[in-house]
Amino acid sequence: MEYRIKQEQLIVAASKQILKSTCLFYRFKDNTTELPIPNGCGILIKQNENYYIFSNAHVLADEYLAKTFIMLGNGEIMTIGGQYFYNEAPSNGGRNKDPIDVTIVKLCKQSIDGLTKCGYDFLDVSNILTNYSISKNDNIMVAGYPNDSIKINNQYKTLIAKPFIFKTKPSLNNLSKLGFHKDFHFVAKYSKNNLFDIGTGKKKVGTKPHGLSGSGFWLLKINSLGYYTPLLIGIFSTYLENRALLVSTKVDIFIEVIKYKINCPN
């Protein structure tokens, strides 16, 4: 029992760090301005004096380009302003056939100020891990806001977002035939009907992870004080329900886009 409580405390502490940099997005349904609906997540990044959002193209680009926003409180909303960089969708199948699915927003000052005002923290690039070779014994954490965890009260026009947090293990299965190559993706196990509840120590049925798109894949490393240090290694993009797997795009791709596309002098 004591070990379980210790593990729970470590996981909760790590998740609090992660959620500070995990932004929840909304959009209006069918071009109305009624109560918003959730539209995925993004990770807030700081590199030197530049500020970014890492997310999926199916969350922030395509039909949702410049239509996705955050809630500032008191009924105010703010669209995500800045320079958008995203990969084109495949011509044969669109985003459903896109294994990369990347969007990076280089944020404008107004967006930076708005996100900071909401209490978000920007993750420094020193907490990003690239060129990592994953091991079957690694601990992976995913924390974000799936659609099922967001309660909408149409009568009182309120939204309550409850984060969903779980720790899992990597899957080393070869998914290249599905378009997910190990050089570009990390994969983690997600047995929805057999999750471990860190609060009760019992098994539970988890939520479908729709809405977690754009959340981080975090490698948990034990630091010198015995706590987990979460390191960002990927951005979640795809749920393979029939295989009970979550697929992320390696954060290396995002860093390469910044280096060679966004900040390239030529």
Side-chain angles (χ1 to χ4, degrees), residues 148-164:
D148 289 349
S149 73
I150 299 171
K151 305 304 179 185
I152 300 175
N153 188 314
N154 290 299
Q155 179 180 357
Y156 296 104
K157 306 294 185 183
T158 58
L159 291 156
I160 299 176
K162 182 179 179 181
F164 179 65

Side-chain angles (χ1 to χ4, degrees), residues 146-184:
N147 295 345
D148 289 349
S149 73
I150 299 171
K151 305 304 179 185
I152 300 175
N153 188 314
N154 290 299
Q155 179 180 357
Y156 296 104
K157 306 294 185 183
T158 58
L159 291 156
I160 299 176
K162 182 179 179 181
F164 179 65
I165 305 155
F166 66 96
K167 183 168 72 76
T168 185
K169 293 291 185 181
S171 169
L172 303 184
N173 292 347
N174 185 349
L175 300 180
S176 58
K177 290 184 178 180
L178 300 179
F180 303 111
H181 196 279
K182 65 179 182 179
D183 289 344
F184 306 117

Side-chain angles (χ1 to χ4, degrees), residues 200-252:
T200 65
K202 298 179 180 179
K203 292 181 180 180
K204 69 174 183 178
V205 176
T207 183
K208 286 190 176 182
H210 306 304
L212 277 177
S213 296
S215 299
F217 257 44
W218 303 85
L219 178 72
L220 297 180
K221 289 286 191 182
I222 296 289
N223 62 28
S224 59
L225 299 176
Y227 289 94
Y228 284 129
T229 296
L231 299 171
L232 184 66
I233 61 172
I235 300 295
F236 168 60
S237 63
T238 305
Y239 173 39
L240 301 177
E241 186 171 6
N242 62 332
R243 295 172 180 256
L245 297 174
L246 304 179
V247 182
S248 72
T249 301
K250 286 187 177 181
V251 76
D252 306 58

Side-chain angles (χ1 to χ4, degrees), residues 21-25 39-45 52-61 64 68 80 84-87 95 98 100-106 211-216 232 234-237 248-251 253-254 257-258:
S21 302
T22 303
C23 184
L24 173 58
F25 301 129
N39 197 59
C41 301
I43 302 299
L44 305 178
I45 305 293
Y52 304 94
I53 291 177
F54 290 2
S55 189
N56 304 135
H58 79 261
V59 171
L60 288 179
Y64 303 126
T68 305
I80 306 301
Y84 282 69
F85 302 85
Y86 54 93
N87 66 299
R95 289 296 171 203
D98 180 13
I100 302 300
D101 197 10
V102 163
T103 290
I104 300 173
V105 185
K106 186 176 182 180
L212 277 177
S213 296
S215 299
L232 184 66
I235 300 295
F236 168 60
S237 63
S248 72
T249 301
K250 286 187 177 181
V251 76
I253 293 178
F254 292 80
V257 172
I258 289 176

